[in-house]
Amino acid sequence: MDIVELSLKQLHNELKAGNLTVSDIVGAYKNNFDKTENKIKAFIHTDWDEIEKKAQELTPDKIKNSNSVLQGVPVGIKDVLMTHGVQTTAGSKILEGYKATYTATAVQKLFDAGALMVGKNNCDEFAMGGSTENSGFFPTHNPYDLSRVPGGSSGGSATAVATRQVVFSIGSDTGGSIRQPASFCGVVGLKPTYGRVSRFGLIAMASSLDSVGPITKSVEDAAYVLEAIVGHDSYDSTTTDSKPEKYTDAIDRSVKGMKIGVPKQIDLASLSSEVQEQFQQSIDWLKDSGVEVVEIDLQHLKDALAVYYVIMPAEVSSNMAKFDGIRFGQTADKADDLLSFYMKTRGEYLGAEVKRRIMMGTYVLSSGYMDEYYVKAQKVRRIIANEVKQAFGDVDAFFLPTTPTPAFEIGEKTMNPIDMYLSDIYTVIANIVGIPGISVPSGMIGELPFGVQFLGKHFDEATILALANVIEKKRGNLPQPKILSNL
Ligand code: GLN
């Protein structure tokens, strides 16, 4: 039995049947970690000793009666989520050495369900980026090609899942940071509806856009993890009471007769022929399964990126104000007065991309420019939301590629931020409108995985999980990442 390929449900069944122990599972994942981590660098912090100890305590007797499929499984947590007593850096030098004083709700729910935290996954600094190259510590490498990026900002999470260092990881998605790295690394990434999963304990990037969600090996695993982390939280007033569904049942729901819309504005013709083929293949699979695929008109899709890159930095500039060197983390050595102390601390410990966004955000909010940029972006946001709502009157979900290309080379886009921002072109709309999105691998382009994306109606994660499951089943197994087959 190849332990690291087992699904959450299979692991659970084997544990209950007494065919596996928690130590066997932790050992198998640890083995992969030891063989791959120095090449891919998926974690900022790990504590295997701690979970090996916990694994030993979880004797067969103790887990026999557990009904939680997460019981005893090693997981990764993106380092933007607070974990009590454990260093939490958000990928930033300014928080190096900072130990969180409480645990994020989503993470606590995983712990309550019995998951074991391997450590904290690397990410772009404060989740700002699309390649994990903006991490204040080190870049993470794509497991299918070490010279390429894993995507970002949850690049460490996606890489750790793809190389089977952990069963799954939890990431955050503000403009695509769960779905884009999932696409680049050949795994499943689910961004839930805004308000579905608590953001309490998520180090905020842009509060009206942020969501927390799973990165997993399979659609079924994503459904299990989602079930574990959803729900109202009195610490996050944007979470709703709306009844979560049994997502693990929903994935097997028949998709026959469903109707999905492909926005004509995605401009498929501008994408490489390989990307077009992948996308067309997925459409054929869906049609084979009885899904009706129609073209829809989302005239303002093209404006989503511009809206995102005004609203996001505005919120970033406000959220980042608290990192002043006094309350958290690192502090400048010497300064003459308070203002120069702030400036020295932030100047020294924040990276270039974070500074760029603080400046952009401060600019679009400054008096004289606010109406022209921020207020205008909010108005266009509303127009986009209305257009999306109208389009959903006619279809059950939208279907589009997750990204315009597979993983790019490390260093390829670092000199040109706009080029980097363009890789978010198909993902940001979900955050702007607050709807759920899932990326599922559709296959390989050469030696690199590629993902396609479903966007659903508010709180209708069930439908997009069922649709993604069709792609996964039709596709079959992806080849292993090179780094694993070379071991
Ligand atoms: N890549 C996008 C950005 O740079 C998305 C980030 C995110 O979702 N956290 O802003």
Side-chain angles (χ1 to χ4, degrees), residues 127-130 152-153 172-177 205 308-309 312 357 424:
M128 299 177 207
S153 59
S172 66
D173 189 312
T174 304
S177 278
M205 176 180 161
Y308 174 77
Y309 276 97
M312 175 273 295
R357 294 187 191 204
D424 305 327

